[in-house]
Amino acid sequence: QLIHSEKLASLGTLSAGLAHEMNNPITVILNLAEMISENPGDEDAVKKRSAQIVDSATRIQRIVHRIREYTHISSQKQRIPMNLNKVIENTLMLVQPQLTENEILVSTSFEKDLFNVEGDPSQIESVVQNLLLNAMDAFDGINDKRKKTIRITTANRDSKVLVTIEDNGCGIAPDAKPRIFDPFFTTKDSSR
């Protein structure tokens, strides 16, 4: 019974985290589709928002792929050379509507000639998106726009690339810190 109980607890944690991670791009898709339906005559806006919908739907596909990797159904990983400035810019484009709606200011300072790194762009995008959305959640209850800022910097350091994402929110609760690298761990209520 104890083993069964532990498995159920792990499944609950996985489900809550998965619901949270899937909810982000689904919310983007729904918001953009609503914007399109409110003003279908603006062709440029429709094209831009349609591209963002495709990006968010592709993100959901990548989440499903990561779940398969996590459960060992698929072990293929995409490792390609990439420019982290571009990956971060693409991620910002996806979450910008949510950040704007919550009156959060994002400033960037990107190294102009940033080294390419090798890795999976979708995994990096997922990390950046989660950091941004977690930062957004850390501003709950703060009404002063000047106190809701996120700063993103990139820099070359020797033969490596340094990416820094800082916010002035409430921070991570000490009891959650040991679990921040657990797949799909969340402190959010699963109903959210």
Side-chain angles (χ1 to χ4, degrees):
Q1 284 181 339
L2 182 60
I3 292 169
H4 181 68
S5 176
E6 287 176 356
K7 284 183 178 178
L8 286 176
S10 294
L11 183 59
T13 300
L14 176 68
S15 300
L18 183 57
H20 169 62
E21 193 162 348
M22 294 285 275
N23 190 51
N24 293 331
I26 289 170
T27 300
V28 171
I29 290 170
L30 292 173
N31 288 342
L32 291 169
E34 187 177 326
M35 288 180 200
I36 289 171
S37 68
E38 288 173 356
N39 195 3
D42 186 345
E43 287 185 28
D44 290 337
V46 168
K47 284 180 185 177
K48 180 181 176 185
R49 290 174 179 149
S50 296
Q52 291 173 316
I53 287 171
V54 170
D55 286 343
S56 292
T58 303
R59 172 151 167 65
I60 293 170
Q61 284 182 321
R62 289 191 297 251
I63 292 168
V64 171
H65 179 70
R66 281 180 39 225
I67 295 166
R68 287 184 173 156
E69 283 183 342
Y70 181 67
T71 57
H72 305 291
I73 293 171
S74 168
S75 61
Q76 294 179 344
K77 296 198 182 210
Q78 179 187 14
R79 293 186 61 83
I80 59 172
M82 62 180 154
N83 182 298
L84 289 178
N85 288 344
K86 290 180 183 173
V87 173
I88 294 168
E89 285 171 350
N90 289 340
T91 307
L92 274 171
M93 187 178 72
L94 288 175
V95 298
Q96 192 60 56
Q98 289 168 281
L99 296 170
T100 301
E101 182 182 331
N102 287 279
E103 299 181 315
I104 296 169
L105 175 67
V106 178
S107 65
T108 58
S109 177
F110 292 154
E111 178 99 25
K112 187 177 177 183
D113 298 315
L114 195 68
F115 302 143
N116 277 349
V117 297
E118 191 174 289
D120 184 336
S122 67
Q123 289 181 335
I124 300 298
E125 182 181 298
S126 178
V127 168
V128 172
Q129 184 171 18
N130 282 329
L131 288 171
L132 292 172
L133 294 175
N134 286 339
M136 184 177 75
D137 290 340
F139 295 128
D140 278 352
I142 297 175
N143 296 320
D144 187 346
K145 287 191 280 189
R146 294 167 298 176
K147 294 184 178 177
K148 295 164 71 170
T149 61
I150 299 172
R151 180 162 173 76
I152 305 173
T153 59
T154 61
N156 294 323
R157 289 288 184 268
D158 300 319
S159 60
K160 298 177 180 156
V161 171
L162 174 67
V163 176
T164 305
I165 300 176
E166 301 172 281
D167 68 71
N168 57 352
C170 63
I172 299 170
D175 60 332
K177 285 185 180 180
R179 305 223 28 226
I180 61 172
F181 294 109
D182 288 357
F184 305 109
F185 169 71
T186 183
T187 58
K188 294 204 173 29
D189 182 339
S190 60
S191 63
R192 239 183 117 175

